Amino acid sequence: MNGRVLHVVGTRPNFVKAAPVVAALGMAGCDQVLVHTGQHYDTRMSDVFFRQLGLPRPDTDLGVGSGSHARQTADLLVALDAELAVRAPALVVVYGDVNSTLAAALAAAKRDIPVAHVEAGLRSFDMTMPEEVNRRLVDQLAELLFATSPEAIGHLAREGADPARTYLVGNPMIDTLLTHLDLFDPAAARTTYELPERYGVVTLHRPANVDDPQAARAAARTLTEAARALDLVVPLHPRGRETLHAAGLAAAPGVHLIEPLGYIEFMSLVRGAAAVITDSGGVQEETTVLGVPCLTLRTTTERPVTVTHGTNRLVTHTEVVPALCKTLDAGPSAPAEGPPLWDGRAGVRIARVVTRWLEHHD
């Protein structure tokens, strides 16, 4: 099998999704290059994930860092174009919907290099979300479209995607979760962060919730009120750290602000939580499989399968506390039957398609 596969990753969710794909292609004997854009550059958001997930060290770290959407995407385009020129891959694999994903797909398209999009077809139908813009554009550029759920296949079909290029493969993020499940230790996490038996986990990083000081104040008020019902541990994403601190969240009784965590440490907290409050897409999926009640502080989700097959519920600020109290009154429940093909073998299915594609495009 000839042809090099170049993976582009840049953020925590990318690392979690890429790990099983890289591993499965490695088992198939594929020539691979891993490029880290540096979009997440904090050690706790980046390096620790490579160590814990068994990802090989990146062949290149572009070190792009943060900035406005326009500046970051422009810097990524320039850096990735140079990398593609040197590496000359047969296929570029991109993950999710971050700026690194869009920049890599666009840079590859300009050089007439085919692109595979892992997590294709997700739609929130909210074009004010930068991620929605990114994922729609990437799907238009991609040669291979790997979908995590049946409704994603439907979205792609309605947008005119060729069914021969579209594959329902399952969810590689869940591959990673199931692979490491035995390492998630809620008791150790409670001890480390001095939490009571029942606690909640909060992750907020969407611009609509943390970028604007007024939005951050609204989020802080909501969490302060929620913490009266349940102690909340909040690993603070670099995005939103200053605005949430300025909004007074650190002073709220029952709120435990901590630094960003590695994958194992974070998932240990989530596994033992009585509830999770989040605006993250990936956390909606992880809680679905773990059977942890999830309140998503958004008006839309690109992952409706987590609502229909899982434990997820969309809530507004005014709905968070009533929904949380109802969840606590109901007590723990067994994990629901997961969505189709969320069985830990998505990476293998993706690798099978990619290797077959490479054989036909020598």
Side-chain angles (χ1 to χ4, degrees), residues 246-261:
L249 186 59
V255 172
H256 307 255
L257 299 185
I258 61 175
E259 293 299 313
L261 299 175

Side-chain angles (χ1 to χ4, degrees), residues 146-185:
F146 294 118
T148 60
S149 60
E151 71 269 12
I153 295 286
H155 296 326
L156 291 168
R158 281 188 290 276
E159 293 169 11
D162 182 353
R165 299 187 295 108
T166 305
Y167 301 87
L168 178 62
V169 294
N171 192 334
M173 179 169 272
I174 301 308
D175 289 18
T176 298
L177 185 150
L178 295 176
T179 297
H180 295 85
L181 190 61
D182 290 344
L183 299 179
F184 304 155
D185 188 344

Side-chain angles (χ1 to χ4, degrees), residues 317-354:
H317 284 285
T318 58
E319 293 170 330
V320 167
V321 174
L324 179 61
C325 291
K326 183 177 180 180
T327 294
L328 296 176
D329 288 342
S333 59
E337 182 179 349
L341 301 184
W342 287 24
D343 58 2
R345 294 187 56 79
V348 172
R349 294 187 188 98
I350 292 168
R352 190 178 300 135
V353 174
V354 168

Side-chain angles (χ1 to χ4, degrees), residues 8 73-74 76-78 80-81 84 92 94 98-116 134 137-142:
V8 177
T73 305
L76 286 162
L77 274 169
V78 173
L80 285 164
D81 180 67
L84 293 176
V92 172
V94 299
V98 297
N99 289 338
S100 296
T101 309
L102 174 61
L106 188 55
K110 294 291 187 181
R111 286 191 170 271
D112 198 27
I113 301 171
V115 172
N134 291 348
L137 293 174
V138 172
D139 284 341
Q140 292 295 314
L141 297 170

Side-chain angles (χ1 to χ4, degrees), residues 3 7 36 38 55 62 72 166 228 306 312 321-322 357:
H7 305 265
H36 180 11
L55 272 168
L62 299 177
Q72 187 179 67
T166 305
R228 298 191 184 107
T306 64
N312 188 29
V321 174
W357 185 91

